[in-house]
Short mmCIF file of all heavy atoms in Angstrom, two decimals:
data_model
loop_
_atom_site.label_atom_id
_atom_site.label_comp_id
_atom_site.label_asym_id
_atom_site.label_seq_id
_atom_site.Cartn_x
_atom_site.Cartn_y
_atom_site.Cartn_z
N CYS A 342 0.67 7.19 -5.22
CA CYS A 342 -0.37 7.51 -6.09
C CYS A 342 0.13 8.00 -7.42
O CYS A 342 1.24 8.69 -7.55
CB CYS A 342 -1.23 8.62 -5.54
SG CYS A 342 -2.53 9.33 -6.40
N THR A 343 -0.52 7.77 -8.52
CA THR A 343 -0.04 8.21 -9.82
C THR A 343 -0.50 9.58 -10.16
O THR A 343 -0.07 10.05 -11.30
CB THR A 343 -0.55 7.17 -10.98
OG1 THR A 343 -2.02 7.16 -10.99
CG2 THR A 343 -0.04 5.83 -10.71
N HIS A 344 -1.14 10.23 -9.33
CA HIS A 344 -1.47 11.69 -9.55
C HIS A 344 -0.05 12.53 -9.19
O HIS A 344 0.74 11.92 -8.66
CB HIS A 344 -2.56 12.09 -8.70
CG HIS A 344 -3.13 13.52 -9.01
ND1 HIS A 344 -3.39 14.37 -8.01
CD2 HIS A 344 -3.27 14.17 -10.23
CE1 HIS A 344 -3.81 15.51 -8.49
NE2 HIS A 344 -3.80 15.43 -9.78
N ILE A 345 -0.22 13.83 -9.67
CA ILE A 345 0.99 14.50 -9.55
C ILE A 345 1.69 14.62 -8.04
O ILE A 345 2.91 14.74 -8.02
CB ILE A 345 0.65 15.98 -10.22
CG1 ILE A 345 2.02 16.73 -10.35
CG2 ILE A 345 -0.25 16.67 -9.10
CD1 ILE A 345 1.86 17.94 -11.31
N GLY A 346 0.85 14.49 -7.04
CA GLY A 346 1.53 14.71 -5.70
C GLY A 346 2.12 13.40 -5.22
O GLY A 346 3.05 13.44 -4.28
N HIS A 347 1.88 12.30 -5.87
CA HIS A 347 2.59 11.02 -5.51
C HIS A 347 2.44 10.74 -4.09
O HIS A 347 3.39 10.15 -3.50
CB HIS A 347 3.93 10.97 -6.06
CG HIS A 347 3.99 11.20 -7.56
ND1 HIS A 347 3.40 10.47 -8.44
CD2 HIS A 347 4.78 12.16 -8.22
CE1 HIS A 347 3.69 10.95 -9.68
NE2 HIS A 347 4.56 11.92 -9.52
N ARG A 348 1.43 10.96 -3.59
CA ARG A 348 1.16 10.63 -2.04
C ARG A 348 0.92 9.17 -1.86
O ARG A 348 0.72 8.40 -2.68
CB ARG A 348 -0.07 11.39 -1.49
CG ARG A 348 0.06 12.90 -1.64
CD ARG A 348 1.03 13.46 -0.64
NE ARG A 348 1.34 14.83 -0.69
CZ ARG A 348 0.75 15.89 0.00
NH1 ARG A 348 -0.19 15.56 0.84
NH2 ARG A 348 1.15 17.06 -0.17
N ARG A 349 0.87 8.82 -0.53
CA ARG A 349 0.70 7.52 -0.12
C ARG A 349 -0.80 6.94 -0.17
O ARG A 349 -1.55 7.78 -0.27
CB ARG A 349 1.35 7.17 1.29
CG ARG A 349 2.85 7.27 1.19
CD ARG A 349 3.41 7.29 2.75
NE ARG A 349 4.89 7.39 2.73
CZ ARG A 349 5.65 8.48 2.68
NH1 ARG A 349 4.99 9.63 2.37
NH2 ARG A 349 6.85 8.43 2.69
N LEU A 350 -0.89 5.61 -0.07
CA LEU A 350 -2.15 5.08 -0.32
C LEU A 350 -2.69 4.41 1.13
O LEU A 350 -1.78 3.96 1.88
CB LEU A 350 -2.30 4.07 -1.29
CG LEU A 350 -1.78 4.45 -2.64
CD1 LEU A 350 -1.49 3.26 -3.59
CD2 LEU A 350 -2.68 5.55 -3.29
N CYS A 361 -5.77 7.29 -2.18
CA CYS A 361 -4.65 8.19 -1.95
C CYS A 361 -5.11 9.12 -0.63
O CYS A 361 -6.29 9.49 -0.47
CB CYS A 361 -4.54 9.16 -3.17
SG CYS A 361 -3.34 10.52 -2.87
N CYS A 362 -4.01 9.37 0.16
CA CYS A 362 -4.26 10.10 1.36
C CYS A 362 -4.41 11.59 1.20
O CYS A 362 -4.65 12.25 2.13
CB CYS A 362 -3.31 9.80 2.42
SG CYS A 362 -1.60 10.30 1.94
N SER A 363 -4.31 12.01 -0.11
CA SER A 363 -4.43 13.40 -0.36
C SER A 363 -5.73 14.00 -0.34
O SER A 363 -6.73 13.19 -0.22
CB SER A 363 -3.66 13.78 -1.60
OG SER A 363 -4.53 13.52 -2.71
N ILE A 364 -5.88 15.29 -0.47
CA ILE A 364 -7.19 15.95 -0.61
C ILE A 364 -7.92 15.51 -1.72
O ILE A 364 -9.07 15.54 -1.74
CB ILE A 364 -6.92 17.55 -0.56
CG1 ILE A 364 -8.22 18.23 -0.15
CG2 ILE A 364 -6.34 18.04 -2.04
CD1 ILE A 364 -8.26 18.62 1.28
N ASN A 365 -7.35 15.09 -2.92
CA ASN A 365 -8.03 14.59 -4.09
C ASN A 365 -8.38 13.02 -4.11
O ASN A 365 -9.12 12.66 -4.93
CB ASN A 365 -7.08 14.91 -5.30
CG ASN A 365 -7.16 16.37 -5.66
OD1 ASN A 365 -8.04 17.01 -5.69
ND2 ASN A 365 -5.90 16.91 -5.69
N HIS A 366 -7.90 12.35 -3.06
CA HIS A 366 -8.23 10.99 -2.79
C HIS A 366 -8.64 10.13 -4.00
O HIS A 366 -9.62 9.52 -4.02
CB HIS A 366 -9.39 10.99 -1.82
CG HIS A 366 -10.63 11.84 -2.11
ND1 HIS A 366 -11.48 11.49 -3.04
CD2 HIS A 366 -10.99 13.06 -1.68
CE1 HIS A 366 -12.40 12.40 -3.27
NE2 HIS A 366 -12.02 13.43 -2.37
N SER A 367 -7.60 10.10 -4.91
CA SER A 367 -7.80 9.13 -6.07
C SER A 367 -7.96 7.73 -5.48
O SER A 367 -7.29 7.39 -4.47
CB SER A 367 -6.63 9.24 -7.01
OG SER A 367 -6.67 10.29 -7.79
N THR A 368 -8.72 6.92 -6.04
CA THR A 368 -9.13 5.57 -5.46
C THR A 368 -9.00 4.62 -6.61
O THR A 368 -9.25 4.77 -7.81
CB THR A 368 -10.59 5.57 -5.04
OG1 THR A 368 -10.73 6.68 -4.07
CG2 THR A 368 -10.92 4.21 -4.37
N PHE A 369 -8.39 3.50 -6.22
CA PHE A 369 -7.95 2.35 -7.05
C PHE A 369 -8.63 0.93 -6.67
O PHE A 369 -8.73 0.79 -5.29
CB PHE A 369 -6.48 2.26 -7.07
CG PHE A 369 -5.75 3.65 -7.38
CD1 PHE A 369 -5.48 4.47 -6.37
CD2 PHE A 369 -5.42 3.85 -8.74
CE1 PHE A 369 -4.84 5.67 -6.82
CE2 PHE A 369 -4.83 5.08 -9.12
CZ PHE A 369 -4.48 5.96 -7.99
N GLY A 378 -11.14 9.91 -9.12
CA GLY A 378 -10.13 10.86 -8.72
C GLY A 378 -9.32 11.15 -10.01
O GLY A 378 -9.48 10.74 -11.09
N PRO A 379 -8.36 12.27 -9.72
CA PRO A 379 -7.63 12.72 -10.79
C PRO A 379 -6.43 11.90 -11.28
O PRO A 379 -5.80 12.39 -12.48
CB PRO A 379 -7.06 14.17 -10.27
CG PRO A 379 -6.96 13.90 -8.82
CD PRO A 379 -8.17 12.95 -8.50
N ALA A 380 -6.08 10.94 -10.61
CA ALA A 380 -4.92 10.10 -11.16
C ALA A 380 -5.23 9.50 -12.57
O ALA A 380 -6.40 9.08 -12.73
CB ALA A 380 -4.51 8.97 -10.14
S1 FES B 616 -1.56 12.68 -5.12
FE1 FES B 616 -3.17 11.31 -5.13
S2 FES B 616 -4.88 12.33 -5.90
FE2 FES B 616 -3.32 13.69 -5.93
#
Side-chain angles (χ1 to χ4, degrees):
C342 179
T343 56
H344 187 225
I345 194 165
H347 303 306
R348 299 288 176 93
R349 291 170 175 82
L350 307 167
C361 178
C362 65
S363 80
I364 200 96
N365 287 311
H366 50 77
S367 286
T368 305
F369 305 85

